[in-house]
Amino acid sequence: MYFTASEQPPSVVSLGVLVSDEKVESAGGLIVQLMPGASEAAIQSIEGSAGMFMDISGTMKEYHLDGAVPQLLMQLQPEILERRETKYACDCSRGRIERALITLGKEELSDMIATQHGAQVDCHFCNKRYSFSEEELKTLLAAATVQEGQ
Ligand SMILES: [Zn+2]
């Protein structure tokens, strides 16, 4: 994949997950961006690794991260400047869910109050459950009413 419609420098993006027997065997992702003044040799070196970029999960499985970077960047003598632990974190919050409920609008909120007397909203990303009482929904309904200007 190449970024073409933005003002970003020429870039190569590769993401992949290798699944076997319903288990993740390897996964990886890489973004390579050309800095101003990148040499033709550097571009050719990256193009020479194109096949490995296409099969990033296979490359990660075979070489692991420490081996994959030199393999992918072959003659470029990559230098590792920083290592960070990756972690999964969701930035959902009660405030964000409240704003989402408000955008449903007056009609939808009124319906929730009348028929369910409250609401439970599950975050699609982290499965955290947010519960709203009828009273809380009425507060959100008031906010939605103000927003709709009626
Ligand atoms: Zn979440």
Side-chain angles (χ1 to χ4, degrees):
M1 175 174 117
Y2 291 87
F3 292 122
T4 51
S6 67
E7 290 180 35
Q8 297 193 34
S11 308
V12 181
V13 179
S14 179
L15 293 170
V17 181
L18 188 65
V19 179
S20 168
D21 292 328
E22 299 184 4
K23 280 187 182 165
V24 173
E25 284 215 8
S26 70
L30 203 66
I31 300 176
V32 177
Q33 293 191 314
L34 293 180
M35 303 298 281
S39 69
E40 194 59 37
I43 295 168
Q44 280 175 4
S45 172
I46 290 169
E47 284 175 352
S49 308
M52 295 178 108
F53 279 105
M54 301 293 257
D55 181 24
I56 187 76
S57 55
T59 301
M60 294 296 280
K61 186 184 176 200
E62 191 170 346
Y63 298 101
H64 301 279
L65 181 61
D66 286 318
V69 171
Q71 282 292 327
L72 289 162
L73 303 178
M74 283 202 264
Q75 277 98 33
L76 298 177
Q77 293 152 337
E79 185 184 343
I80 293 169
L81 300 175
E82 190 182 352
R83 289 175 187 273
R84 285 193 208 172
E85 284 297 310
T86 51
K87 64 173 183 178
Y88 177 81
C90 187
D91 64 350
C92 68
S93 67
R94 192 167 180 85
R96 182 173 283 198
I97 302 292
E98 284 175 359
R99 287 192 292 281
L101 284 169
I102 289 167
T103 60
L104 289 176
K106 256 171 51 171
E107 215 169 293
E108 193 88 15
L109 285 167
S110 301
D111 191 57
M112 278 181 187
I113 292 164
T115 62
Q116 301 165 45
H117 309 287
Q120 294 206 317
V121 180
D122 295 329
C123 173
H124 282 300
F125 300 103
C126 69
N127 291 327
K128 186 170 178 183
R129 174 162 286 184
Y130 294 89
S131 296
F132 294 87
S133 68
E134 186 167 353
E135 283 309 307
E136 286 168 326
L137 286 185
K138 282 178 179 167
T139 306
L140 298 179
L141 174 62
T145 305
V146 170
Q147 276 195 4
E148 287 174 33
Q150 288 166 20

